[in-house]
Amino acid sequence: MKGWTRIKSRCVPLDRHDVDTDQIIPARFLLTTDREGLASALFADWRDEAGLVLHDPRYAGARVLVAGRNFGCGSSREHAVWALQSFGFRAIVAPSFADIFRANAHACGLLPVTMDETAHATLVRAVTDHPKTEVDIDLERGEIWYADVEPISFDVDPFARDLLTSGRDALQYLLNETGAISEWEARHG
Amino acid sequence: MSGHTLLDRIWDSHVVSERPGHPSVLYVDLHLVHEVTSPQAFAELHRRDLEVRRPTNTLATIDHAIPTVAGGLRNASAAARNQISTLEHNCARHGIELHGLESPEQGIVHVIGPELGRTQPGMTVVCGDSHTSTHGAFGCLAFGIGTSEVAQVLATQCLLRHRPQAMRVTIDGKLDEGVTAKDLALALIAKIGADGGRGFVIEYAGEAVRDLDMEGRMTLCNLSIEAGARGGLIAPDATTSAWLDGRLACPSGPEFDTAKERWESLRSDPAAEFSKEVRLDASRVEPWVTWGTQPAMGGPVDAPVPDPGELPASNRVAAEQAQRYMDVVPGRALVGVPVDTVFVGSCTNGRLGDLRAAARVLRRRQVAHRVRMVVVPGSRAVKRAAEAEGLDVVFREAGAEWREPGCSMCIAMNGDRIEAGAVCVSTSNRNFEGRQGRLGRTILASPLTAAASAVAGAVADPRPFLGEHA
Ligand code: SF4
């Protein structure tokens, strides 16, 4: 994985709460043994909807999704994160995320940004009214900048941020703990 | 005087290492694996030339993609067959016990773990599946993980986690006749909301929880994730030990007595403090059905569907969208709404007691003409036990389909699904849009309510079906 510290991009506003992973990627796309190539499966059952914001050419190329609260609830399928990434998203901004989705996003280098409801509502309005608005996400400082709004700070778990910016992964971190793991196993039989 | 919660106890005894500002390295006792969320994890291991650290702490099954019509793989798609054979190869290569197509113990991952006695009190249990919370019924810290973490556990038997917070849900009183653990769980989710449990492990306590049998406790813990919780947890007691006594992987003889003593000592201290407390009165819970596209959107079967305008502002739009999708009318109850399909099964309600409950309603009755009813046992062991007491005959005579074990219509990825626009009363756990088939409409309910609805041809209150009849 390649580390990163900043994203500058337009944002797609998906103004819906409790978007579950069955919507993000319906189960019929899970019969794969691969993690690539899931872009067309993203929100597959919504794609026919007229006016779906993902189709709006004004947001083409956006790498940030602005979603409603409790984003990614439901199943643990990491395919949801893979599909969002295949589509081109690097960060999701929402008032809250489901726990497993957040862990999966961190594991894959997709940044979940938790933003309080008021700031979030303002951002949704801004990118809806002015689709060309670009946000600048500074991961190291934990800040988002856009238009002439005061920078909005967000919390990232420092450990997760460290992995994201360095591009190191949790598996390697755990493998480095092998000594402690063996000791634990010896103690517990 | 110490004030540890049960969660603290299990957590502390599994911490391998801790560093300030870092998540803990947590040891995993039991890693459950299935065909859908594991192939990319094994591929990662192979890419890095790693082995499975503890094959004996790992247990695999095939459940999500497996056909449930007789005839086995002949009815599976090429993609499903590939996924299944990939797991077979991976398990053979790494020496992992697999209960696949040939095993008499095959079944849904959360049904067979406890059945085989692999799930034991005090353990940490993980699986690439959100309903891993089921195993909390045995006093396990059990939670779902993603595929990257499946790879981490395969390679290191450990996970990185921050300690979750503890919430206690105390359920006093007694459940009425015809009201089940499923109704209780759905009522609780409606009370605290789809994300009311976010960041927490919920410990269930109180008279109504103590009174539940192990199957009911599994149903309750299973649904914890639908309130957004990381897991559910119930302190082990005599009911737990009695259920585990004699299970294949459990200790026996004098060792069982030692284990029993240890298991039943696992509990929260009386002085333990919980970050959040919720109380519920079981005696006021009624048979419950969902009217929306989130498990939290539900109410008593004969209660009017709420008017979105009268809901808190933050829930209004979602309720409107859900009611449009479900084609339900605010102000009117669901009871009497025509039903096309009824599904009894899943890791929520696919165990023997669930099948008995459905059969109790169906005995000497018929599934309504327009309804298709599908009954899918949670495992081959459940199927054998049900057949030994003639439940299959009850289902068949009533006009229901009696299937082979698997996840089936709970997730609709093996070919079992409902049609667009169809209404399905389902004993599974998710009523999300399209969960049981594109544009399908799911109403979550207990096995009793599902069976009663099958007979009535419309959503029905099960209670009138429970008395004697000709
Ligand atoms: S029965 Fe449903 S919820 Fe349970 S493991 Fe299978 S797909 Fe998941």
Side-chain angles (χ1 to χ4, degrees):
Chain A
M1 229 167 0
K2 248 179 64 221
W4 60 273
T5 51
R6 277 182 96 151
I7 300 172
K8 233 178 139 192
S9 159
R10 291 186 193 176
C11 330
V12 186
L14 188 72
D15 198 15
R16 238 178 121 132
H17 295 313
D18 299 317
V19 170
D20 57 77
T21 53
D22 276 84
Q23 307 316 310
I24 301 174
I25 179 168
R28 61 181 183 278
F29 297 102
L30 308 187
L31 284 169
T32 171
T33 53
D34 220 331
R35 53 195 292 167
E36 312 294 336
L38 293 173
S40 58
L42 181 69
F43 296 118
D45 286 348
W46 293 357
R47 292 289 185 98
D48 297 347
E49 275 174 34
L52 181 69
V53 71
L54 283 186
H55 297 315
D56 190 330
R58 294 173 305 165
Y59 296 107
R63 290 187 293 159
V64 177
L65 180 72
V66 185
R69 68 164 183 262
N70 199 27
F71 186 77
C73 60
S75 114
S76 65
R77 58 188 73 163
E78 199 164 302
H79 309 67
V81 173
W82 303 335
L84 286 159
Q85 288 180 310
S86 295
F87 194 85
F89 291 119
R90 308 282 302 280
I92 318 286
V93 180
S96 61
F97 293 88
D99 285 329
I100 303 179
F101 180 87
R102 177 199 301 278
N104 288 343
H106 280 149
C108 298
L110 177 74
L111 176 68
V113 178
T114 308
M115 191 182 267
D116 78 64
E117 299 258 2
T118 322
H120 176 265
T122 313
L123 176 61
V124 170
R125 217 169 316 122
V127 301
T128 307
D129 294 347
H130 305 285
K132 287 198 180 132
T133 307
E134 285 210 329
V135 297
D136 187 350
I137 302 180
D138 185 331
L139 182 52
E140 238 147 29
R141 292 168 65 166
E143 284 177 350
I144 294 191
W145 302 65
Y146 69 94
D148 44 9
V149 174
E150 285 284 297
I152 305 162
S153 41
F154 61 90
D155 284 333
V156 208
D157 173 59
F159 180 75
R161 175 169 58 201
D162 197 43
L163 294 186
L164 282 168
T165 52
S166 67
R168 285 187 297 127
D169 71 8
L171 176 49
Q172 193 50 53
Y173 182 91
L174 282 167
L175 288 168
N176 293 342
E177 294 285 314
T178 303
I181 298 170
S182 298
E183 274 171 38
W184 193 95
E185 283 173 339
R187 259 183 290 134
H188 292 81
Chain B
M1 168 135 198
S2 70
H4 287 108
T5 62
L6 176 54
L7 166 65
D8 290 332
R9 288 236 146 85
I10 305 175
W11 181 275
D12 291 340
S13 64
H14 287 84
V15 171
V16 169
S17 66
E18 269 175 319
R19 241 174 241 135
H22 286 216
S24 305
V25 177
L26 197 70
Y27 199 80
V28 172
D29 293 317
L30 176 63
H31 183 197
L32 301 163
V33 171
H34 63 83
E35 74 276 26
V36 177
T37 56
S38 67
Q40 296 87 349
F42 281 107
E44 187 63 26
L45 252 60
H46 301 154
R47 199 173 67 75
R48 303 191 194 206
D49 213 8
L50 296 169
E51 294 300 320
V52 174
R53 185 176 177 89
R54 278 282 184 117
T56 49
N57 291 35
T58 315
L59 177 71
T61 188
I62 295 171
D63 51 5
H64 285 66
I66 200 170
T68 58
V69 282
L73 280 193
R74 267 185 292 127
N75 300 299
S77 66
R81 280 204 299 268
N82 175 46
Q83 207 164 51
I84 290 167
S85 67
T86 301
L87 182 61
E88 288 170 341
H89 282 130
N90 284 329
C91 289
R93 171 166 172 184
H94 294 283
I96 294 169
E97 181 176 330
L98 167 66
H99 293 288
L101 302 172
E102 311 301 329
S103 168
E105 308 302 339
Q106 176 270 338
I108 302 172
V109 64
H110 309 308
V111 177
I112 71 164
E115 229 166 45
L116 293 169
R118 293 294 295 268
T119 304
Q120 293 174 21
M123 283 183 166
T124 46
V125 181
V126 303
C127 174
D129 190 281
S130 57
H131 290 96
T132 310
S133 57
T134 312
H135 306 264
F138 293 84
C140 296
L141 175 57
F143 48 87
I145 58 178
T147 297
S148 296
E149 293 184 322
V150 171
Q152 292 161 27
V153 179
L154 287 172
T156 70
Q157 205 55 41
C158 288
L159 266 183
L160 290 166
R161 271 287 180 285
H162 292 286
R163 184 192 294 258
Q165 290 184 289
M167 175 194 303
R168 179 163 56 191
V169 172
T170 307
I171 311 175
D172 302 306
K174 292 205 178 294
L175 289 172
D176 275 345
E177 172 77 357
V179 185
T180 68
K182 178 64 164 290
D183 305 294
L184 191 55
L186 290 174
L188 173 70
I189 298 163
K191 184 181 165 92
I192 66 177
D195 60 354
R198 185 156 29 82
F200 293 101
V201 167
I202 301 177
E203 181 173 344
Y204 297 97
E207 182 190 4
V209 176
R210 290 280 141 243
D211 284 350
L212 288 176
D213 62 13
M214 287 316 294
E215 295 193 358
R217 293 181 188 185
M218 283 188 257
T219 303
L220 183 59
C221 288
N222 172 283
L223 287 164
S224 305
I225 181 73
E226 307 309 332
R230 299 212 177 153
L233 196 53
I234 296 176
D237 59 10
T239 305
T240 320
S241 308
W243 197 91
L244 288 170
D245 193 2
R247 305 259 160 202
L248 197 61
C250 281
S252 55
E255 281 172 39
F256 177 80
D257 297 328
T258 319
K260 176 178 155 73
E261 203 175 309
R262 182 167 42 84
W263 293 342
E264 292 178 24
S265 72
L266 285 167
R267 63 171 67 107
S268 293
D269 296 323
E273 292 215 5
F274 290 81
S275 314
K276 189 168 168 184
E277 295 259 14
V278 173
R279 288 197 100 88
L280 200 69
D281 180 356
S283 67
R284 300 183 61 172
V285 176
E286 292 188 67
W288 202 269
V289 289
T290 58
W291 49 259
T293 53
Q294 276 281 331
M297 295 171 171
V301 65
D302 51 5
V305 169
D307 180 344
E310 284 162 20
L311 293 175
S314 59
N315 294 341
R316 220 165 277 161
V317 178
E320 270 166 18
Q321 279 167 352
Q323 292 183 357
R324 206 174 313 126
Y325 182 87
M326 291 296 291
D327 195 23
V328 297
V329 187
R332 221 183 278 166
L334 281 191
V335 84
V337 166
V339 166
D340 305 290
T341 310
V342 170
F343 171 62
V344 174
S346 88
C347 60
T348 308
N349 283 128
R351 297 182 181 81
L352 185 61
D354 302 311
L355 303 186
R356 280 182 184 150
R360 179 177 168 200
V361 171
L362 289 180
R363 195 163 276 127
R364 292 189 291 277
R365 291 198 177 98
Q366 287 294 311
V367 172
H369 220 61
R370 58 185 305 269
V371 175
R372 173 185 180 211
M373 180 172 184
V374 181
V375 184
V376 183
S379 70
R380 290 188 181 159
V382 168
K383 182 165 189 259
R384 280 192 298 276
E387 289 178 350
E389 41 185 271
L391 302 184
D392 57 323
V393 179
V394 176
F395 292 129
R396 285 213 182 89
E397 284 185 355
E401 297 171 35
W402 174 244
R403 294 289 191 87
E404 299 298 318
C407 296
S408 182
M409 272 189 208
C410 174
I411 186 162
M413 60 181 292
N414 72 335
D416 300 344
R417 58 181 154 78
I418 63 175
E419 300 302 316
V423 173
C424 179
V425 177
S426 177
T427 67
S428 55
N429 40 57
R430 288 189 173 135
N431 50 353
F432 298 155
E433 288 182 17
R435 170 81 178 185
Q436 297 192 287
R438 191 156 189 233
L439 298 174
R441 300 180 176 128
T442 302
I443 296 172
L444 299 176
S446 75
L448 289 174
T449 304
S453 304
V455 171
V459 177
D461 187 328
R463 288 170 293 196
F465 291 81
L466 300 179
E468 284 301 305
H469 63 90

